[in-house]
Amino acid sequence: MVEYDFPPFRPPNEASSALIRVTRGCPWNRCLFCTMYKTLSFQPRPLKEVKKDIDTAVHIYPRARTVFIADSDSLAMKDSEQIIRHIRTRFPHAERITSYARATTLMRLGAARLAKLRQAGLTRVHVGLESGDAETLAFLRKGATPQDMIAGGTAAKAAGLELSFYVLIGAGGKDRLTEHAVGSALVCNAVNPDFIRLRTLIVQHGSLLEEKMNAGQYRPTAPSEKLSEVKLFLEHLDVQDCELASDHHTNTIWVDTTIVYQGIHGMLPLEKNHMMEVLNQTLQRLSQARGEVLDATIMYERGMITSL
Ligand code: SF4
């Protein structure tokens, strides 16, 4: 049996990537909505072990053209440059090497240190923006302000890295819907990420957010409100050469058993009008629906979706 430390999570678009676990868990681990690493204490892995895994990964993923570094915030590790160089050596044909990173980590590392990681072979960072609204970020205990998100994202871009921002639809609930949508667009405008990826918040069983929701401190949005939020976000977006993707099943909306929405996709600003049209048509369809309108939150509550 091959000994290999498979990371438990990766972004959806890294499904075909060779996965290299450099750390275990999340050094922050306090976001109210996140249950990913709740039972795990953060642990950097020894350089020797990681290098051994990279050597093994060449055989596990012989056709991989992309490599993803896990878990949630590995770039701050003292050995990260050496690890990335080793990945580059063992996967010489890799088209991209990417990692999750917290905005505060990118901010702390700064453009000069990030440029060294870029030179070593890192090409892209995936950052959970979640929201550009200060109150929403504080409520969710994200541990970063909109200014931190801008500073971290800007440092990554200045270092020559591609930047993928994840925006969490529903993060502000009913009460901060407008501020969350507009604030998130303004942070994206300030940084101009290469990718914006939308995923929809599901209040997971056992999460701290569920406790807040049960105490009436968070009011989740209905399916049509989620679409209105995406529309407001898109209306305020003013970015160039940026790909917007909704590459997660949590974005899906059904009428009875028919899927009527799977998110918007396209290049900005080129395809903005088309994406607005998709949203307007879906909103109209939902307003006239005779059947039951369902989103991933409702499906999760009913036990019809279990894995997020
Ligand atoms: S969302 Fe990211 S930063 Fe927050 S606890 Fe989860 S892994 Fe850590």
Side-chain angles (χ1 to χ4, degrees):
M1 200 179 95
V2 184
E3 275 179 39
Y4 188 84
D5 196 343
F6 285 96
F9 301 102
R10 49 130 186 97
N13 74 317
E14 302 288 354
S16 315
S17 300
L19 306 176
I20 308 292
R21 200 170 196 190
V22 171
T23 56
R24 295 190 187 101
C26 171
W28 175 249
N29 217 4
R30 286 180 229 176
C31 299
L32 288 189
F33 57 89
C34 175
T35 57
M36 290 203 293
Y37 305 108
K38 282 291 176 272
T39 54
L40 194 62
S41 301
F42 180 71
Q43 261 184 319
R45 295 185 64 214
L47 177 63
K48 210 170 144 200
E49 268 184 31
V50 176
K51 280 189 163 179
K52 202 165 153 241
D53 271 8
I54 295 167
D55 296 341
T56 307
V58 175
H59 305 290
I60 298 177
Y61 307 96
R63 279 185 290 278
R65 308 294 292 180
T66 55
V67 181
F68 174 69
I69 294 168
D71 283 343
S72 78
D73 196 24
S74 298
L75 297 184
M77 293 304 106
K78 65 175 172 39
D79 300 322
S80 56
E81 198 177 323
Q82 221 178 320
I83 289 167
I84 294 164
R85 277 193 204 289
H86 195 66
I87 294 173
R88 183 48 82 195
T89 308
R90 301 298 273 140
F91 289 87
H93 304 299
E95 287 151 16
R96 64 167 200 256
I97 299 174
T98 72
S99 176
Y100 276 137
R102 298 191 69 227
T104 47
T105 298
L106 297 175
M107 186 173 73
R108 236 183 359 259
L109 288 172
R113 174 93 180 93
L114 290 170
K116 290 200 168 151
L117 301 184
R118 174 73 189 95
Q119 281 156 17
L122 186 71
T123 57
R124 184 183 298 173
V125 283
H126 298 273
V127 178
L129 167 62
E130 326 302 0
S131 178
D133 172 39
E135 257 190 53
T136 299
L137 287 174
F139 172 75
L140 294 174
R141 293 191 202 150
K142 184 67 189 172
T145 63
Q147 290 73 26
D148 296 339
M149 299 293 186
I150 292 171
T154 305
K157 294 275 295 178
L161 291 164
E162 288 182 326
L163 175 66
S164 188
F165 260 165
Y166 287 73
V167 174
L168 196 56
I169 301 305
K174 282 183 194 291
D175 300 317
R176 300 289 298 176
L177 187 153
T178 303
E179 294 84 350
H180 164 56
V182 176
S184 301
L186 295 182
V187 169
C188 289
N189 294 350
V191 179
N192 209 107
D194 301 278
F195 304 90
I196 297 171
R197 299 182 188 282
L198 306 183
R199 64 178 302 165
T200 301
L201 174 63
I202 308 278
V203 182
Q204 294 185 53
H205 302 312
S207 66
L208 296 168
L209 187 57
E210 187 182 44
E211 288 174 22
K212 296 274 182 195
M213 184 176 75
N214 292 341
Q217 291 167 22
Y218 172 82
R219 298 193 303 142
T221 46
S224 58
E225 286 175 312
K226 290 184 174 89
L227 284 181
S228 300
E229 180 182 314
V230 175
K231 194 177 153 190
L232 194 58
F233 171 67
L234 184 60
E235 272 167 3
H236 284 80
L237 267 184
D238 182 14
V239 287
Q240 300 299 316
D241 294 325
C242 174
E243 184 177 338
L244 192 151
S246 309
D247 54 355
H248 202 267
H249 67 91
T250 52
N251 297 310
T252 309
I253 295 178
W254 297 258
V255 173
D256 292 330
T257 54
T258 306
I259 290 175
V260 295
Y261 177 76
Q262 286 185 294
I264 46 170
H265 309 260
M267 286 304 296
L268 288 165
L270 203 65
E271 295 171 273
K272 184 168 181 169
N273 288 345
H274 168 68
M275 290 188 268
M276 286 301 283
E277 219 169 281
V278 171
L279 290 166
N280 284 330
Q281 281 172 7
T282 313
L283 275 164
Q284 194 180 6
R285 189 165 175 184
L286 294 192
S287 70
Q288 294 165 350
R290 290 179 188 278
E292 188 182 20
V293 177
L294 302 160
D295 62 10
T297 296
I298 301 169
M299 299 293 254
Y300 177 74
E301 281 302 320
R302 294 181 186 178
M304 294 161 88
I305 293 178
T306 47
S307 80
L308 298 172

